[in-house]
């Protein structure tokens, strides 16, 4: 009788935990979806957007092309276009909004997977309520990090959203996934696909997995007593494959036309400009966020020192735990990004939050481990966390600048909808050429020719019109 009641109580607790997680993930997914669909919807508004959505490259590295190694973003964007065409456009009859809706759904899925992977590699053995508190802290930190209205997901066009934000989410999720591995032996088919997509994505983001794989392999080899080559290869297969793909990507990108253009341009290798840009972006992070995370780090350090001997601390840091790898990875990523930014376009990339995310990833994971440790070992702090979460929620909802970007996007979106409507009317009437009068604020001279070529191509390829039209923009 007692065993039956105990088993029933255990099942009841499991059901309660499942219900809590269902409600938690539903709220988070809904919040992120609302952000991408309503608070900060990104419409196709640049010539790059209209070009990339119809640019159907091979899903493998192509020697000598403009971006030979950017497989993930340059194949994902056209796939979103196809999904929007068949799943959304038949219902709303608005191709621009259909792409935005489909992009919001895909980015929400990637963000939820990203949050799940971060939680699973930092929460440890916390109880359910503690994990939920940590999860909400992680999510809200991404939206309140900067004081200038930007956040870790903000962007101004769909091309950059796929080339930087989506690529960051996938690379960061991959690192968190592989952090949970006991060793590098064996590899699943989906893991190999994930590695392939991560390294053939963007050089500003794939360094995350490359540097972790390197330091993890060094540590695993050091800890393994069997130093035979066959044993090392077997137990470090995943890390070796990661580093192999990364080196192939470096070589392939070096042969691309973009790298050739950079080599021909007279750009000074100004590392100090990159450092200043990096510090400028760092200073835009809210002071209260930096202060709170610093206090959590100090509290975690004090609690850990009080609970462990010096010998145990040294072992945990350098051998058994991930913290040593995370610290080294953070420093290496920082140096790499400074050098890459100085080589490509000194100071311009690290001034962008979508690129700066890469620099923040490893320090962020270290900070979350500290937050988890303090919450887990201090009941007082755990009780205060709901207040802190409420403050961050209020800050993220009411103290942001996203509505300015929304109005700007809406203006361009209305113009593009007008263009598409006139193209559809011309298609019905059998007219071959469409002329649109506009202003240089909406269509500048640099993108005028691109838009005249790409908008008709996109509308024809995705079946919005049945005949290829000639589009001409004239200024008022």
């Amino acid at each position: 009788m007692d065993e039956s009641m105990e088993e029933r109580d255990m099942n009841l607790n499991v059901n309660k935990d499942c219900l809590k997680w269902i409600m938690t993930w539903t709220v988070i997914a809904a919040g992120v979806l609302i952000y991408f669909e309503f608070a900060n919807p990104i419409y196709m508004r640049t010539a790059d957007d209209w070009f990339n959505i119809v640019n159907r490259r091979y899903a493998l590295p192509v020697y000598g092309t403009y971006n030979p190694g950017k497989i993930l973003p340059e194949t994902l964007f056209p796939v979103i276009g196809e999904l929007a065409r068949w799943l959304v456009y038949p219902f709303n009859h608005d191709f621009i909004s259909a792409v935005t809706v489909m992009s919001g759904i895909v980015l929400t899925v990637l963000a939820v997977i990203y949050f799940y992977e971060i939680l699973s590699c930092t929460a440890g053995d916390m109880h359910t309520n503690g994990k939920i508190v940590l999860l909400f802290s992680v999510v809200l930190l991404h939206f309140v990090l900067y004081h200038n209205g930007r956040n870790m997901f903000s962007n101004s066009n769909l091309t950059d959203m796929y080339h930087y934000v989506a690529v960051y989410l996938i690379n960061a999720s991959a690192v968190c996934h592989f952090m949970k591995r006991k060793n590098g032996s064996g590899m699943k088919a989906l893991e190999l696909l994930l590695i392939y997509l991560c390294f053939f994505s963007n050089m500003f983001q794939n360094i995350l997995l490359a540097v972790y794989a390197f330091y993890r392999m060094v540590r695993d080899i050091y800890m393994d007593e069997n130093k035979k080559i066959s044993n090392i290869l077997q137990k470090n297969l995943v890390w070796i494959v990661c580093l192999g793909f990364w080196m192939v990507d470096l070589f392939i990108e070096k042969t691309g036309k973009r790298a050739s253009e950079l080599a021909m341009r007279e750009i000074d290798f100004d590392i100090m400009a990159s450092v200043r840009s990096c510090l400028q972006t760092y200073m835009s992070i809210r002071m209260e966020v930096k202060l709170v995370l610093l206090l959590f780090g100090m509290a975690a350090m004090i609690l850990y020192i009080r609970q462990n001997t010096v010998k145990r601390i040294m072992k945990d840091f350098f051998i058994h735990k991930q913290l040593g790898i995370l610290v080294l990875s953070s420093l290496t990523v920082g140096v790499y990004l400074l050098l890459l930014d100085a080589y490509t376009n000194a100071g311009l990339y690290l001034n962008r939050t979508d690129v700066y995310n890469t620099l923040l990833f490893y320090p962020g994971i270290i900070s979350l481990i500290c937050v988890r440790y303090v919450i887990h070992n201090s009941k007082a702090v755990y009780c205060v966390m709901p207040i802190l979460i409420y403050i961050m929620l209020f800050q993220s909802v009411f103290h942001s600048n996203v509505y300015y970007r929304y109005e700007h996007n809406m203006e361009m979106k209305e113009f593009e909808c007008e263009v598409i409507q006139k193209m559809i009317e011309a298609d019905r009437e059998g007219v071959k050429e469409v002329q649109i009068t506009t202003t240089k604020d909406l269509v500048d001279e640099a993108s005028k020719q691109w838009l005249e070529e790409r908008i008709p191509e996109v509308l024809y390829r995705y079946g919005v019109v049945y005949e290829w039209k000639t589009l001409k923009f004239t200024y008022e």
Side-chain angles (χ1 to χ4, degrees), residues 274-334:
S274 296
V275 172
R276 287 192 297 269
S277 181
C278 181
L279 291 175
Q280 183 180 356
T281 309
Y282 174 77
M283 294 305 295
S284 68
I285 297 175
R286 294 181 185 275
M287 182 58 69
E288 54 267 38
V289 172
K290 291 184 280 191
L291 182 60
V292 168
L293 292 178
L294 178 62
L295 291 175
F296 269 107
M298 294 173 62
M301 189 182 301
I302 293 169
L303 285 171
Y304 193 69
I305 291 174
R306 287 177 58 185
Q307 295 174 1
N308 297 278
T309 62
V310 176
K311 187 176 180 180
R312 173 63 185 273
I313 292 171
M314 297 298 287
K315 262 190 174 182
D316 281 353
F317 186 85
F318 290 106
I319 306 296
H320 299 300
K321 303 295 183 182
Q322 299 272 9
L323 193 57
I325 295 176
L326 296 176
V327 171
L328 292 173
S329 297
S330 179
L331 295 173
T332 306
V333 168

Side-chain angles (χ1 to χ4, degrees), residues 27-300:
V27 169
I28 289 173
V32 176
L33 184 62
I34 289 171
Y35 171 77
F36 284 123
E37 300 290 3
F38 300 104
N40 190 31
I42 307 297
Y43 297 106
M44 291 196 301
R45 66 180 189 85
T46 67
D48 284 343
D49 293 343
W50 286 97
F51 172 76
N52 287 309
I53 197 172
V54 79
N55 180 30
R56 301 174 184 181
R57 59 162 293 159
Y58 291 108
L60 51 87
V62 182
Y63 183 90
T65 54
Y66 191 74
N67 285 317
K70 280 192 172 183
I71 294 174
L72 175 58
E74 292 186 354
T75 55
L76 181 60
F77 199 0
V79 168
I80 298 304
E82 288 290 343
L83 292 175
R85 168 67 181 91
W86 295 107
L87 300 180
V88 183
Y89 180 72
F91 299 98
N92 70 354
H93 302 289
D94 182 347
F95 184 72
I96 304 294
S97 294
V99 174
T100 300
V101 169
M102 202 68 237
S103 296
I105 293 172
V106 171
L107 289 167
T108 298
V109 171
L110 293 178
V112 169
I113 294 172
Y114 164 74
F115 290 135
Y116 170 79
E117 291 293 348
I118 287 182
L119 181 69
S120 62
C121 75
T122 57
D125 57 349
M126 292 179 73
H127 53 81
T128 300
N129 291 341
K131 287 181 179 180
I132 292 174
V133 168
L134 182 64
L135 176 60
F136 275 110
S137 303
V138 171
V139 174
L140 291 173
L141 271 174
H142 285 71
F143 292 95
V144 302
L145 194 63
Y146 298 98
H147 62 69
N148 53 9
R150 295 184 295 177
N151 58 68
M152 293 185 72
F153 298 134
S154 60
N155 216 304
S156 59
N157 62 76
L158 276 172
T159 294
D160 287 347
M161 189 66 80
Y162 284 107
H163 280 248
Y164 296 100
V165 176
V167 167
Y168 165 76
L169 292 173
I170 293 171
N171 275 271
S173 300
V175 173
C176 293
H177 170 76
F178 288 115
M179 280 176 63
K180 295 178 290 184
R181 265 182 164 267
K182 292 183 179 179
N183 54 56
S185 63
M187 185 185 301
K188 298 177 182 178
L190 288 179
E191 286 181 331
L192 182 58
L193 174 63
L194 180 62
I195 292 171
Y196 178 80
L197 293 177
C198 282
F199 284 107
F200 295 116
S201 58
N202 193 318
M203 291 180 67
F204 279 98
Q205 277 82 29
N206 63 19
I207 184 62
L208 288 175
L209 186 54
V211 74
Y212 178 80
F214 173 75
Y215 286 120
R216 181 67 185 272
M217 183 176 69
V218 171
R219 191 202 70 170
D220 289 355
I221 293 174
Y222 174 78
M223 290 180 61
D224 197 348
E225 295 179 356
N226 187 352
K227 296 293 193 294
K228 290 183 178 179
I229 298 297
S230 59
N231 183 67
I232 291 174
L233 293 175
Q234 179 186 353
K235 290 190 175 181
N236 295 277
L237 177 63
V238 173
W239 320 131
I240 293 170
V241 170
C242 286
L243 294 173
F245 272 118
W246 183 59
M247 287 187 285
V248 170
D249 180 61
L250 289 179
F251 171 76
I252 289 291
E253 286 291 347
K254 187 65 177 175
T255 67
K257 292 180 180 178
R258 181 178 176 83
S260 300
E261 288 181 3
L262 289 172
M264 289 187 293
R265 289 165 60 186
E266 295 181 359
I267 299 178
D268 295 331
F269 186 79
D270 191 355
I271 189 70
M272 292 310 300
S274 296
V275 172
R276 287 192 297 269
S277 181
C278 181
L279 291 175
Q280 183 180 356
T281 309
Y282 174 77
M283 294 305 295
S284 68
I285 297 175
R286 294 181 185 275
M287 182 58 69
E288 54 267 38
V289 172
K290 291 184 280 191
L291 182 60
V292 168
L293 292 178
L294 178 62
L295 291 175
F296 269 107
M298 294 173 62

